[in-house]
Amino acid sequence: MNTRTDAHPAAQAGLAVVLGGTGGIGAALVAGLQAQDFEVLSLGRRTQPALDYTDEATVAACAGHVADQLAHTGLPLQRLIVATGFLHGETRSGQRAEPERSWQHLNADALQHNFLINAIGPAMVMRHFLPLLPKQGRCVAAFLSARVGSIGDNALGGWYAYRASKAALNQLVHTSAIELARRNKEALCVALHPGTVDTGLSQPFAKKGLQVRPAEEAASDLLAVIDALPTGSSGQFFDHKGLSVPW
């Protein structure tokens, strides 16, 4: 896919919603969408209303807030970008979770938290937000995944919880894309790999020699991919260059 020549211009930009919009790449995506003349709503743990995947009611409340904005402005929801994710840090129970180097490091609490943030939370977003997308016309729901969630591309092993939870997200995206197409044949739902971005999520694991890019550059690349998604690409997994990633 050529992300530079097939672009769909945002000349009639509507509403864009970024979940996780207060994070490193999320904030850059918000700025990039604003530069494209979208009306942008940023939602996260520190916004009002707050988005908290440990409480589905907050996901529903955030969707209700977006629905109110759609009704108030009359704009269509043309972009839904889910930029939330968990790789390391404190879990819901207060324990510390890090990517596993071996099966000996597998921990049920860490697995549960990875799946909560990387798969279950986005699944609830699908439930409450995808019905807000217009029933006709081009619109895009994009979920930030990770290349390490690819089963076909896994040659190194390790990172069990993160890999498995992102693989689950990819399946959820593919499945929801099938249902979304029944409502609107022009609607697109995709998984995107942003590359290694200079944020708190990846910083401890950015190995020497690895291409680590500023959040603004990553966001610009992702928005270019989103704008260039061709007909028939819904339910697929792309990297930040617009290249297909194997499942």
Side-chain angles (χ1 to χ4, degrees), residues 16 55 57 80 137 152 192 214 237:
D55 182 1
L80 171 65
L192 297 178
F237 185 12

Side-chain angles (χ1 to χ4, degrees), residues 86 89-97 106-116 161:
F86 179 83
E90 189 174 292
T91 70
R92 184 180 183 182
S93 69
Q95 297 185 42
R96 181 76 187 177
L106 283 169
N107 173 276
D109 181 72
L111 282 161
Q112 289 170 354
H113 195 78
N114 270 271
F115 272 86
L116 172 64

Side-chain angles (χ1 to χ4, degrees), residues 146-183:
R147 186 179 294 275
V148 295
S150 165
I151 295 174
D153 193 57
N154 183 1
L156 298 176
W159 291 33
Y160 286 83
Y162 189 68
R163 286 185 186 276
S165 60
K166 288 296 188 178
L169 171 63
N170 292 345
Q171 180 68 282
L172 289 164
V173 167
H174 187 76
T175 302
S176 63
I178 295 170
E179 183 172 357
L180 185 62
R182 297 175 187 144
R183 299 178 74 254

Side-chain angles (χ1 to χ4, degrees), residues 3 17 34 58 63 85 101 134 138 189 242:
T3 62
V17 174
Q34 289 172 335
T58 70
R101 295 187 302 276
R138 188 180 189 276
C189 183

Side-chain angles (χ1 to χ4, degrees), residues 98-162:
E98 298 286 347
E100 309 90 347
R101 295 187 302 276
S102 164
W103 59 54
Q104 295 177 337
H105 302 139
L106 283 169
N107 173 276
D109 181 72
L111 282 161
Q112 289 170 354
H113 195 78
N114 270 271
F115 272 86
L116 172 64
I117 304 302
N118 296 334
I120 298 172
M124 294 302 98
V125 169
M126 294 170 185
R127 174 182 178 180
H128 294 287
F129 280 81
L130 291 186
L132 302 178
L133 292 170
K135 293 184 179 180
Q136 59 183 9
R138 188 180 189 276
C139 56
V140 180
F143 293 76
L144 296 200
S145 185
R147 186 179 294 275
V148 295
S150 165
I151 295 174
D153 193 57
N154 183 1
L156 298 176
W159 291 33
Y160 286 83
Y162 189 68

Side-chain angles (χ1 to χ4, degrees), residues 1 190-193 225 229 233 236-240 242-245:
M1 180 181 66
V190 296
L192 297 178
H193 167 60
V225 172
L229 289 170
S233 60
Q236 297 183 33
F237 185 12
F238 299 102
D239 70 9
H240 56 91
L243 302 176
S244 181
V245 180

